Short mmCIF file of all heavy atoms in Angstrom, two decimals:
data_model
loop_
_atom_site.label_atom_id
_atom_site.label_comp_id
_atom_site.label_asym_id
_atom_site.label_seq_id
_atom_site.Cartn_x
_atom_site.Cartn_y
_atom_site.Cartn_z
N LEU A 453 33.67 88.17 118.21
CA LEU A 453 34.28 89.43 118.03
C LEU A 453 34.62 89.70 116.56
O LEU A 453 35.41 88.97 116.04
CB LEU A 453 35.67 89.41 118.83
CG LEU A 453 36.27 90.80 119.38
CD1 LEU A 453 35.29 91.64 119.98
CD2 LEU A 453 37.45 90.30 120.39
N ASP A 454 33.72 90.58 116.04
CA ASP A 454 33.85 90.89 114.57
C ASP A 454 34.91 91.77 114.22
O ASP A 454 35.36 92.63 114.93
CB ASP A 454 32.35 91.44 114.22
CG ASP A 454 31.94 91.22 112.72
OD1 ASP A 454 32.73 90.71 111.92
OD2 ASP A 454 30.86 91.69 112.43
N ASP A 455 35.22 91.64 112.92
CA ASP A 455 36.25 92.64 112.27
C ASP A 455 37.56 92.70 113.03
O ASP A 455 38.09 93.78 113.21
CB ASP A 455 35.65 94.04 112.12
CG ASP A 455 34.34 94.06 111.40
OD1 ASP A 455 34.21 93.21 110.47
OD2 ASP A 455 33.62 95.01 111.64
N PHE A 456 37.91 91.62 113.69
CA PHE A 456 38.99 91.73 114.55
C PHE A 456 40.33 92.17 114.00
O PHE A 456 40.66 91.77 112.90
CB PHE A 456 39.27 90.37 115.29
CG PHE A 456 40.25 90.41 116.35
CD1 PHE A 456 39.88 91.06 117.62
CD2 PHE A 456 41.58 90.19 116.24
CE1 PHE A 456 40.73 91.19 118.63
CE2 PHE A 456 42.38 90.29 117.34
CZ PHE A 456 42.12 90.86 118.52
N GLY A 457 40.93 93.06 114.75
CA GLY A 457 42.24 93.62 114.22
C GLY A 457 42.01 94.94 113.79
O GLY A 457 43.06 95.74 113.74
N THR A 458 40.70 95.52 113.47
CA THR A 458 40.62 96.81 112.91
C THR A 458 40.28 97.93 114.15
O THR A 458 40.35 99.01 113.94
CB THR A 458 39.41 96.83 111.91
OG1 THR A 458 38.28 96.43 112.74
CG2 THR A 458 39.74 96.10 110.80
N GLY A 459 39.88 97.35 115.30
CA GLY A 459 39.68 98.21 116.36
C GLY A 459 40.90 98.74 117.12
O GLY A 459 42.08 98.52 116.60
N SER A 460 40.76 99.33 118.20
CA SER A 460 41.90 99.91 118.94
C SER A 460 42.12 99.27 120.37
O SER A 460 42.82 99.86 121.10
CB SER A 460 41.75 101.44 119.03
OG SER A 460 40.53 101.71 119.57
N SER A 461 41.38 98.16 120.54
CA SER A 461 41.59 97.62 121.94
C SER A 461 43.03 96.97 122.08
O SER A 461 43.57 96.54 121.13
CB SER A 461 40.51 96.63 122.28
OG SER A 461 40.61 95.56 121.18
N THR A 462 43.50 96.92 123.32
CA THR A 462 44.82 96.37 123.61
C THR A 462 44.62 94.83 123.76
O THR A 462 43.58 94.28 123.86
CB THR A 462 45.43 96.94 124.87
OG1 THR A 462 44.42 96.50 125.99
CG2 THR A 462 45.37 98.40 124.88
N LEU A 463 45.75 94.20 123.68
CA LEU A 463 45.65 92.73 123.88
C LEU A 463 45.32 92.37 125.25
O LEU A 463 44.57 91.32 125.46
CB LEU A 463 47.09 92.16 123.64
CG LEU A 463 47.54 92.18 122.18
CD1 LEU A 463 49.07 91.65 122.18
CD2 LEU A 463 46.61 91.39 121.27
N THR A 464 45.54 93.20 126.30
CA THR A 464 45.04 92.99 127.62
C THR A 464 43.56 92.97 127.70
O THR A 464 42.84 92.08 128.29
CB THR A 464 45.55 94.02 128.60
OG1 THR A 464 46.88 94.48 128.19
CG2 THR A 464 45.48 93.72 129.98
N THR A 465 42.87 93.88 126.94
CA THR A 465 41.49 93.87 126.96
C THR A 465 40.92 92.71 126.29
O THR A 465 39.97 92.07 126.85
CB THR A 465 41.02 95.19 126.13
OG1 THR A 465 41.82 96.39 126.53
CG2 THR A 465 39.57 95.48 126.47
N VAL A 466 41.40 92.29 125.22
CA VAL A 466 40.88 91.18 124.53
C VAL A 466 41.02 89.85 125.23
O VAL A 466 40.21 89.11 125.48
CB VAL A 466 41.66 91.00 123.13
CG1 VAL A 466 41.15 89.75 122.49
CG2 VAL A 466 41.38 92.15 122.21
N ALA A 467 42.22 89.81 126.04
CA ALA A 467 42.51 88.58 126.83
C ALA A 467 41.41 88.47 127.92
O ALA A 467 41.19 87.37 128.41
CB ALA A 467 43.93 88.56 127.32
N ARG A 468 41.04 89.69 128.48
CA ARG A 468 40.06 89.64 129.65
C ARG A 468 38.67 89.36 129.08
O ARG A 468 37.75 89.03 129.94
CB ARG A 468 40.16 91.06 130.15
CG ARG A 468 40.46 91.03 131.60
CD ARG A 468 40.17 92.34 132.34
NE ARG A 468 39.87 93.48 131.39
CZ ARG A 468 40.62 94.61 131.42
NH1 ARG A 468 41.73 94.71 132.18
NH2 ARG A 468 40.37 95.63 130.63
N LEU A 469 38.46 89.39 127.88
CA LEU A 469 37.12 89.25 127.33
C LEU A 469 36.69 87.81 127.26
O LEU A 469 37.48 86.98 127.09
CB LEU A 469 37.04 89.77 125.81
CG LEU A 469 36.74 91.24 125.65
CD1 LEU A 469 36.82 91.53 124.22
CD2 LEU A 469 35.33 91.55 126.21
N THR A 470 35.42 87.55 127.42
CA THR A 470 34.90 86.16 127.34
C THR A 470 34.18 86.14 126.00
O THR A 470 32.98 86.48 125.93
CB THR A 470 34.02 85.70 128.48
OG1 THR A 470 34.67 86.16 129.64
CG2 THR A 470 33.87 84.18 128.45
N VAL A 471 34.80 85.81 124.89
CA VAL A 471 34.23 85.57 123.62
C VAL A 471 34.36 84.22 123.16
O VAL A 471 35.43 83.53 123.50
CB VAL A 471 34.61 86.61 122.65
CG1 VAL A 471 34.20 88.03 122.94
CG2 VAL A 471 36.06 86.53 122.19
N ASP A 472 33.51 83.80 122.37
CA ASP A 472 33.47 82.36 121.99
C ASP A 472 34.11 82.02 120.47
O ASP A 472 34.40 81.11 120.12
CB ASP A 472 32.14 81.71 121.92
CG ASP A 472 31.41 81.96 123.30
OD1 ASP A 472 31.69 81.11 124.17
OD2 ASP A 472 30.67 82.89 123.29
N GLN A 473 34.22 83.26 119.82
CA GLN A 473 34.66 83.27 118.47
C GLN A 473 35.44 84.69 118.09
O GLN A 473 35.01 85.71 118.60
CB GLN A 473 33.42 83.16 117.56
CG GLN A 473 33.64 83.13 116.15
CD GLN A 473 32.47 82.81 115.33
OE1 GLN A 473 31.69 83.70 114.93
NE2 GLN A 473 32.19 81.66 114.92
N ILE A 474 36.35 84.48 117.34
CA ILE A 474 36.95 85.74 116.68
C ILE A 474 36.95 85.57 115.16
O ILE A 474 37.27 84.57 114.63
CB ILE A 474 38.48 85.77 117.20
CG1 ILE A 474 38.49 86.26 118.83
CG2 ILE A 474 39.23 86.85 116.49
CD1 ILE A 474 39.78 86.48 119.29
N LYS A 475 36.48 86.74 114.68
CA LYS A 475 36.39 86.85 113.15
C LYS A 475 37.52 87.70 112.74
O LYS A 475 37.58 88.88 112.94
CB LYS A 475 35.05 87.38 112.66
CG LYS A 475 33.91 86.38 113.01
CD LYS A 475 32.65 86.99 112.57
CE LYS A 475 32.34 86.45 111.15
NZ LYS A 475 30.85 86.66 110.80
N LEU A 476 38.43 87.15 111.87
CA LEU A 476 39.56 87.90 111.41
C LEU A 476 38.95 88.80 110.28
O LEU A 476 38.37 88.40 109.32
CB LEU A 476 40.54 86.99 110.65
CG LEU A 476 41.74 87.69 109.96
CD1 LEU A 476 42.87 88.22 110.95
CD2 LEU A 476 42.42 86.62 109.11
N ASP A 477 39.30 90.15 110.33
CA ASP A 477 38.77 91.07 109.39
C ASP A 477 39.37 90.77 108.01
O ASP A 477 40.46 90.45 107.94
CB ASP A 477 39.16 92.61 109.78
CG ASP A 477 38.37 93.50 108.94
OD1 ASP A 477 37.14 93.72 109.06
OD2 ASP A 477 38.97 94.09 107.91
N ARG A 478 38.55 91.16 107.03
CA ARG A 478 38.91 90.62 105.66
C ARG A 478 40.21 91.42 105.09
O ARG A 478 40.80 90.93 104.19
CB ARG A 478 37.75 90.79 104.65
CG ARG A 478 37.40 92.10 104.25
CD ARG A 478 36.48 92.09 103.11
NE ARG A 478 35.98 93.37 102.67
CZ ARG A 478 34.88 93.95 103.09
NH1 ARG A 478 34.16 93.23 103.89
NH2 ARG A 478 34.55 95.12 102.65
N SER A 479 40.52 92.55 105.73
CA SER A 479 41.71 93.28 105.39
C SER A 479 42.95 92.47 105.69
O SER A 479 44.16 92.77 105.19
CB SER A 479 41.74 94.69 105.86
OG SER A 479 41.70 94.57 107.39
N PHE A 480 42.86 91.37 106.42
CA PHE A 480 44.06 90.74 106.93
C PHE A 480 44.26 89.35 106.42
O PHE A 480 45.05 88.51 106.64
CB PHE A 480 44.13 90.50 108.50
CG PHE A 480 44.06 91.82 109.12
CD1 PHE A 480 43.04 91.97 110.15
CD2 PHE A 480 44.96 92.88 108.94
CE1 PHE A 480 42.96 93.32 110.77
CE2 PHE A 480 44.90 94.10 109.50
CZ PHE A 480 43.78 94.35 110.54
N VAL A 481 43.28 89.02 105.47
CA VAL A 481 43.24 87.74 104.96
C VAL A 481 44.43 87.23 104.08
O VAL A 481 44.76 86.01 104.17
CB VAL A 481 41.91 87.55 103.96
CG1 VAL A 481 42.01 86.49 102.93
CG2 VAL A 481 40.67 87.14 104.98
N ASP A 482 45.13 88.21 103.67
CA ASP A 482 46.28 87.91 102.78
C ASP A 482 47.65 88.20 103.56
O ASP A 482 48.73 88.13 103.13
CB ASP A 482 46.28 88.70 101.48
CG ASP A 482 45.36 88.29 100.54
OD1 ASP A 482 45.08 86.98 100.42
OD2 ASP A 482 44.52 89.17 100.02
N SER A 483 47.46 88.44 104.97
CA SER A 483 48.61 88.64 105.77
C SER A 483 48.74 87.42 106.70
O SER A 483 48.11 87.41 107.83
CB SER A 483 48.42 89.92 106.58
OG SER A 483 49.35 90.01 107.58
N PRO A 484 49.73 86.55 106.31
CA PRO A 484 49.96 85.33 107.28
C PRO A 484 50.33 85.73 108.65
O PRO A 484 50.08 85.09 109.52
CB PRO A 484 50.95 84.52 106.41
CG PRO A 484 51.43 85.41 105.35
CD PRO A 484 50.52 86.53 105.04
N VAL A 485 51.17 86.79 108.81
CA VAL A 485 51.66 87.23 110.04
C VAL A 485 50.53 87.68 111.02
O VAL A 485 50.48 87.16 112.14
CB VAL A 485 52.75 88.38 109.90
CG1 VAL A 485 53.17 88.78 111.28
CG2 VAL A 485 54.05 87.82 109.14
N ILE A 486 49.64 88.56 110.51
CA ILE A 486 48.67 89.00 111.34
C ILE A 486 47.55 87.76 111.42
O ILE A 486 47.13 87.70 112.63
CB ILE A 486 47.83 90.27 110.69
CG1 ILE A 486 48.92 91.31 110.75
CG2 ILE A 486 46.62 90.63 111.41
CD1 ILE A 486 48.40 92.68 110.09
N ALA A 487 47.30 87.04 110.53
CA ALA A 487 46.20 85.99 110.56
C ALA A 487 46.67 85.01 111.62
O ALA A 487 45.98 84.52 112.49
CB ALA A 487 46.01 85.43 109.25
N GLY A 488 48.08 84.68 111.53
CA GLY A 488 48.69 83.88 112.42
C GLY A 488 48.53 84.24 113.87
O GLY A 488 48.31 83.42 114.87
N ALA A 489 48.90 85.51 114.08
CA ALA A 489 48.78 86.12 115.47
C ALA A 489 47.46 86.05 115.99
O ALA A 489 47.24 85.79 117.13
CB ALA A 489 49.40 87.51 115.46
N VAL A 490 46.49 86.41 115.13
CA VAL A 490 45.06 86.40 115.63
C VAL A 490 44.65 84.98 115.91
O VAL A 490 43.95 84.66 116.99
CB VAL A 490 44.08 87.01 114.57
CG1 VAL A 490 42.59 86.75 114.88
CG2 VAL A 490 44.41 88.50 114.40
N LEU A 491 45.08 83.96 115.20
CA LEU A 491 44.68 82.63 115.36
C LEU A 491 45.35 82.13 116.78
O LEU A 491 44.62 81.53 117.58
CB LEU A 491 45.31 81.70 114.36
CG LEU A 491 44.92 80.30 114.37
CD1 LEU A 491 43.51 80.13 113.92
CD2 LEU A 491 45.85 79.46 113.58
N HIS A 492 46.62 82.52 117.16
CA HIS A 492 47.20 82.24 118.30
C HIS A 492 46.50 82.79 119.45
O HIS A 492 46.30 82.17 120.43
CB HIS A 492 48.74 82.77 118.22
CG HIS A 492 49.45 82.16 119.31
ND1 HIS A 492 50.07 80.95 119.12
CD2 HIS A 492 50.04 82.75 120.41
CE1 HIS A 492 50.73 80.70 120.24
NE2 HIS A 492 50.80 81.80 121.02
N LEU A 493 46.07 84.05 119.26
CA LEU A 493 45.36 84.79 120.40
C LEU A 493 43.94 84.03 120.65
O LEU A 493 43.74 83.83 121.83
CB LEU A 493 45.09 86.30 119.90
CG LEU A 493 44.37 87.10 120.91
CD1 LEU A 493 45.14 87.38 122.17
CD2 LEU A 493 43.94 88.37 120.26
N ALA A 494 43.33 83.76 119.57
CA ALA A 494 42.02 83.02 119.66
C ALA A 494 42.18 81.72 120.47
O ALA A 494 41.48 81.39 121.27
CB ALA A 494 41.42 82.80 118.32
N ARG A 495 43.18 81.08 120.10
CA ARG A 495 43.48 79.67 120.69
C ARG A 495 43.76 79.88 122.30
O ARG A 495 43.25 79.09 123.06
CB ARG A 495 44.62 78.90 120.13
CG ARG A 495 44.15 78.39 118.86
CD ARG A 495 45.28 77.46 118.23
NE ARG A 495 44.69 76.82 117.04
CZ ARG A 495 45.47 76.47 115.99
NH1 ARG A 495 46.81 76.73 116.05
NH2 ARG A 495 45.10 75.87 114.94
N GLY A 496 44.46 80.94 122.52
CA GLY A 496 44.80 81.33 123.92
C GLY A 496 43.59 81.59 124.75
O GLY A 496 43.57 81.21 125.93
N ILE A 497 42.51 82.16 124.23
CA ILE A 497 41.30 82.43 124.94
C ILE A 497 40.27 81.39 124.69
O ILE A 497 39.11 81.51 125.09
CB ILE A 497 40.79 83.85 124.78
CG1 ILE A 497 40.43 83.97 123.26
CG2 ILE A 497 41.92 84.91 125.16
CD1 ILE A 497 39.71 85.29 123.07
N GLY A 498 40.63 80.35 123.84
CA GLY A 498 39.66 79.18 123.72
C GLY A 498 38.51 79.56 122.75
O GLY A 498 37.42 79.03 122.83
#
Side-chain angles (χ1 to χ4, degrees):
L453 204 46
D454 203 357
D455 302 333
F456 189 74
T458 57
S460 53
S461 58
T462 64
L463 290 177
T464 321
T465 318
V466 175
R468 239 194 345 243
L469 276 173
T470 314
V471 294
D472 308 278
Q473 181 177 83
I474 289 185
K475 295 182 89 170
L476 176 75
D477 190 75
R478 71 166 179 268
S479 56
F480 306 123
V481 150
D482 291 315
S483 166
V485 172
I486 295 175
V490 169
L491 185 75
H492 195 75
L493 179 70
R495 283 185 176 152
I497 62 170

